[in-house]
Amino acid sequence: FSLQEFLVDSKITPRLARRVQRNARHAIQMLKKDKPNLEVLTLISEPLRVELDFEVNAPLLASHPFFWMICRSCTTMMHQVCHTAIQKVLLSVGDVLFREGKSPSVPQMYFVCSAGGELRYFRNADSRNRPNLSQRMQKMALAEFSVMTRGHWACEATLWTQWVHRGSLAATKDSVLLALDAGKFTKIAAASGRTCTFIYCEAFVRLLNDMDSDELSDLCVPSMDLNAVARESCPVPRPRRYRDVWMGSRGQ
């Protein structure tokens, strides 16, 4: 029973059927490209799979200042995050990942990881908050968008607080994203006992509360200096000078 037969028997409209078939082809291509030997990977020991997932996923997460710092200061925690709290999301052209005004049923932070992927983030807030705008001006406001490509992220706020999407995100090219599950991340961070995550959380939420409502976004807001917040929350420990310590102990 093929996908084509299912679509025909279910009387799916041609437009949606084409999108479903395109998405299925994209998923199969990425599966072949990503993990050609899935059966072999299942035979690898669990500790090695943890290491493997860390080396695959950590560089993508490290595009964000906080995760760049925490990959170096809390490596054990990040190994677990990369192994158990991340999954891939495949999007085809036209797929909408989330919509403005909706609360995510499963809060997740997203990272664009495919080199050729592209998404557009649309905000409707300008025309909604200014109802006296002419129809032409409202269309111009609706046409404003931000482009997301590899190395960009969205929905960080879902990790730290309850969140309602401030815009809509749709794929303009076939894209692969990493989705970081907020609930799983929170549990791993709490179990680690490291305070840097909680310090960063408090600072991030404080920055959100200080912003005007029309400035809030699912994307990174330029006025939020996340580099500074990450440095203050998660200082990377300096390597110990073992030779000096050893020489000092001998001299006592």
Side-chain angles (χ1 to χ4, degrees), residues 199-219:
I199 295 172
Y200 181 91
C201 173
E202 290 179 353
F204 185 91
V205 173
R206 188 161 54 247
L207 288 174
L208 285 182
N209 290 330
D210 290 341
M211 295 169 64
D212 295 332
S213 60
D214 59 354
E215 191 182 1
L216 295 172
S217 174
D218 296 282
L219 306 187

Side-chain angles (χ1 to χ4, degrees), residues 28-41:
I28 293 171
Q29 290 173 357
M30 292 307 303
L31 193 61
K32 290 180 179 178
K33 176 182 176 182
D34 235 13
K35 293 185 177 180
N37 297 308
L38 286 176
E39 296 82 3
V40 176
L41 287 176

Side-chain angles (χ1 to χ4, degrees), residues 45-97:
S45 67
E46 181 74 7
L48 279 179
R49 275 186 283 163
V50 172
E51 293 284 344
L52 181 63
D53 287 338
F54 177 78
E55 293 205 1
V56 170
N57 296 324
L60 296 166
L61 269 61
S63 60
H64 186 286
F66 170 73
F67 289 103
W68 187 91
M69 300 292 289
I70 207 169
C71 280
R72 287 154 178 78
S73 62
C74 307
T75 55
T76 301
M77 182 187 107
M78 284 307 299
H79 274 74
Q80 288 301 313
V81 169
C82 290
H83 183 56
T84 63
I86 289 177
Q87 65 178 2
K88 284 192 174 180
V89 177
L90 305 180
L91 298 178
S92 295
V93 176
D95 288 348
V96 179
L97 186 60

